[in-house]
Amino acid sequence: MNASKRPMIIAANWKMYKTAADVGLYMSSFYDALPEQRAGVRLVFFPAAVMIPDVVQAVAKRAQVGGQNCHWETEGAYTGEIGAGMLAAAGAELVLVGHSERRQLCGETDAQCAKKIVAALNAGLDPMLCVGETLEEREAGRQHAIVLGQLSRAIDGLSRDEYARLALAYEPIWAIGTGRTAAPVDAQQMHATIRDAVASIASPSIAAAMPILYGGSVKPNNAVDLVGQPDIDGALVGGASLFPLNFAAIATAAARTAS
Ligand code: PGA
């Protein structure tokens, strides 16, 4: 039972899947399968940017919508990039920053994440920063140092109001898309460590209020054990969120622990 006052956030990361043509059917299946939406659970969809307006319309205020990435500049000659203000104008309220696929495949650095967080905040978007270690780093016992380094380099120096708009997602890279999930007790330990670090970087009250989601092969059958941990405030779901019934099952399970 999550006894904290923090909201439970259940978020779908659709990555580079789906088109606008899939959105209507997905949402009608999803909401048909969701018995009731509990006040304690916030739902968020992170579709590819071109689908943001379609998802905003289809969820009709029952969920929030976010972008998967933004550039740190407001605008400019950056072919193929997207500005945080553009996402906001399309209807996004949040944006993911530093997802491990972007760090690994696009070479995104902590310094860039720091600038993206500022750009997002300035554009009125709430950033969700992703952090996580590789299997090699975990096996070498360096997971805490790696994650805390990513965190401190990306979120240092924000104002109190800005910290209040930030969420974190701990996503061990070895658990993403692999079917391997962190044991709930290990995930809890990392989340508590992250929360302690936020207390030192920002303040204890900011840390106590900050949502820290877990991501990495969250499925209907493991969601309760994960989000039931005291410092795990929700889930960032990739693969399972592509299927409306699976994502509804995860949201329903989370609602039980949040209530
Ligand atoms: P997964 O992805 O649920 O498919 O492991 C999670 C994520 O990458 O956000």
Side-chain angles (χ1 to χ4, degrees):
M1 179 75 68
N2 186 337
S4 79
K5 295 272 183 296
R6 294 182 294 273
M8 175 79 72
I9 303 176
I10 301 296
N13 175 9
W14 284 357
K15 308 193 180 191
M16 201 175 75
Y17 291 99
K18 301 195 183 295
T19 70
D22 301 316
V23 171
L25 185 57
Y26 179 104
M27 290 303 168
S28 55
S29 311
F30 174 71
Y31 281 106
D32 282 352
L34 201 64
E36 66 187 271
Q37 202 167 326
R38 305 272 174 87
V41 179
R42 269 173 64 191
L43 296 172
V44 183
F45 288 92
F46 291 103
V50 289
M51 273 177 273
I52 289 173
D54 304 278
V55 177
V56 168
Q57 192 181 24
V59 299
K61 300 199 187 318
R62 293 170 294 185
Q64 293 178 296
V65 182
Q68 297 177 2
N69 174 45
C70 68
H71 198 269
W72 56 86
E73 295 291 347
T74 313
E75 60 181 8
Y78 300 102
T79 302
E81 292 290 340
I82 191 154
M86 297 170 182
L87 295 173
E93 294 180 72
L94 299 94
V95 64
L96 291 177
V97 175
H99 188 280
S100 66
E101 284 151 14
R102 295 205 55 82
R103 292 176 189 260
Q104 295 205 305
L105 305 173
C106 309
E108 210 161 285
T109 65
D110 294 324
Q112 291 173 347
C113 291
K115 292 195 287 184
K116 288 177 183 215
I117 287 172
V118 172
L121 290 164
N122 289 343
L125 297 178
D126 293 347
M128 184 180 289
L129 174 72
C130 304
V131 293
E133 81 285 359
T134 62
L135 185 58
E136 207 183 15
E137 289 160 347
R138 177 162 279 263
E139 284 176 345
R142 294 172 52 222
Q143 68 272 27
H144 290 105
I146 293 293
V147 167
L148 298 189
Q150 291 172 338
L151 189 66
S152 61
R153 286 188 289 272
I155 71 162
D156 203 15
L158 301 178
S159 71
R160 193 177 181 86
D161 289 352
E162 290 171 334
Y163 281 121
R165 291 169 51 200
L166 180 69
L168 304 174
Y170 168 58
E171 300 205 300
I173 293 167
W174 46 270
I176 295 179
T178 58
R180 287 184 63 179
T181 320
V185 31
D186 290 341
Q188 162 57 27
Q189 192 189 32
M190 179 63 91
H191 280 235
T193 305
I194 291 172
R195 201 176 299 287
D196 283 349
V198 175
S200 324
I201 296 167
S203 80
S205 64
I206 287 168
M210 188 164 291
I212 309 177
L213 281 63
Y214 170 82
S217 296
V218 176
K219 308 283 179 219
N221 64 2
N222 60 23
V224 168
D225 286 345
L226 288 160
V227 302
Q229 300 295 318
D231 284 292
I232 302 185
D233 307 314
L236 181 55
V237 188
S241 78
L242 298 176
F243 302 94
L245 301 187
N246 285 349
F247 192 52
I250 292 169
T252 305
R256 279 205 298 275
T257 70
S259 56

